[in-house]
């Protein structure tokens, strides 16, 4: 069921795929530089010890830091631009589908819960577009690039030996935590709907409560 929902969300992304691609590439570059900058800093320390000139390496570090910050901004800007455009479309589509059901088709739902679905539940899609797709691709691509870099510039054996660690972090740990996260997410959704329904009932009945002193 979750895979079906994920596929539907990805289909909605098609018109904005170029913008999402920019976000993904920017994330990969940003995270890749997060690995490269410490490596350059280590090379700087080693170079100073061997008498290499300090200036060029410091300039390189400064440029890399600026580039990293730039790509971080581009990633966040494009990812949220995609997310908020799709949120507006989803909210409109959800409301459009609810209107024909009123009033008979919505008798079993509380007003506050419906409002929570149109507003809160749709907003929960935002992290998928803004904080999931690009980090997911980056979590796979950056460790692979890092291992390739180590194999190319340090030692092929060391590069191959590092491969299992990102695989465990990217595959095993999320799989182990998925069940618990899904259960907690369902509980949180139920509680949020109950709170919204109680609040809606209290606001709608405020006049009666005041009249009866309740």
């Amino acid at each position: 069921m979750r895979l079906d929902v994920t596929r539907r969300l990805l289909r909605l992304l098609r018109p904005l795929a170029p913008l999402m691609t920019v976000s993904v590439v920017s994330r990969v570059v940003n995270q890749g530089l997060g690995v490269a900058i410490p490596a350059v800093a280590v090379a700087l320390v080693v170079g100073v010890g061997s008498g290499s000139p300090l200036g060029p390496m410091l300039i390189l570090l400064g440029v890399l830091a600026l580039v990293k910050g730039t790509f971080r901004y581009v990633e966040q800007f494009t990812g949220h631009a995609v997310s908020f455009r799709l949120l507006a479309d989803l909210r409109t589509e959800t409301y459009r589908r609810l209107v024909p059901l009123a009033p008979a088709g919505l008798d079993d739902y509380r007003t506050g819960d419906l409002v929570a679905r149109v507003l809160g539940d749709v907003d929960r899609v935002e992290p998928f577009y803004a904080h999931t797709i690009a980090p997911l691709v980056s979590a796979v691509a950056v460790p692979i690039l890092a291992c390739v870099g180590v194999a190319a510039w340090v030692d092929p054996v060391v590069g191959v030996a590092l491969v299992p660690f990102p695989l465990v972090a990217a595959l095993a740990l999320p799989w182990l935590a998925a069940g618990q996260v899904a259960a907690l997410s369902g509980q949180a959704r139920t509680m949020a709907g109950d709170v919204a329904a109680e609040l809606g009932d209290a606001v709608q009945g405020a006049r009666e409560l005041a009249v009866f002193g309740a």
Side-chain angles (χ1 to χ4, degrees), residues 148-166:
V148 171
V150 170
W153 286 292
V154 180
D155 190 317
V157 176
V158 176
V160 173
L162 291 174
V163 171
F165 294 98

Side-chain angles (χ1 to χ4, degrees), residues 30-125:
N30 172 45
Q31 296 297 306
L33 288 175
V35 176
I37 289 175
V40 173
V42 170
L44 172 61
V45 173
V46 173
V48 170
S50 61
S52 300
L54 182 62
M57 294 295 286
L58 288 176
I59 293 174
L60 177 60
L61 276 176
V63 171
L64 290 178
L66 289 174
V67 173
K68 184 179 188 300
T70 301
F71 277 99
R72 169 68 173 170
Y73 175 81
V74 173
E75 174 217 338
Q76 291 292 308
F77 181 85
T78 52
H80 283 86
V82 170
S83 177
F84 292 141
R85 289 185 192 179
L86 290 175
L87 282 181
D89 293 341
L90 281 171
R91 189 169 287 116
T92 301
E93 179 65 13
T94 302
Y95 185 77
R96 186 184 68 81
R97 289 177 178 269
L98 283 175
V99 169
L101 299 177
L106 302 178
D107 281 344
D108 294 334
Y109 296 94
R110 294 176 293 182
T111 304
D113 195 23
L114 287 174
V115 172
R117 294 190 182 205
V118 175
L119 298 179
D121 284 9
V122 172
D123 282 341
R124 291 183 64 191
V125 177

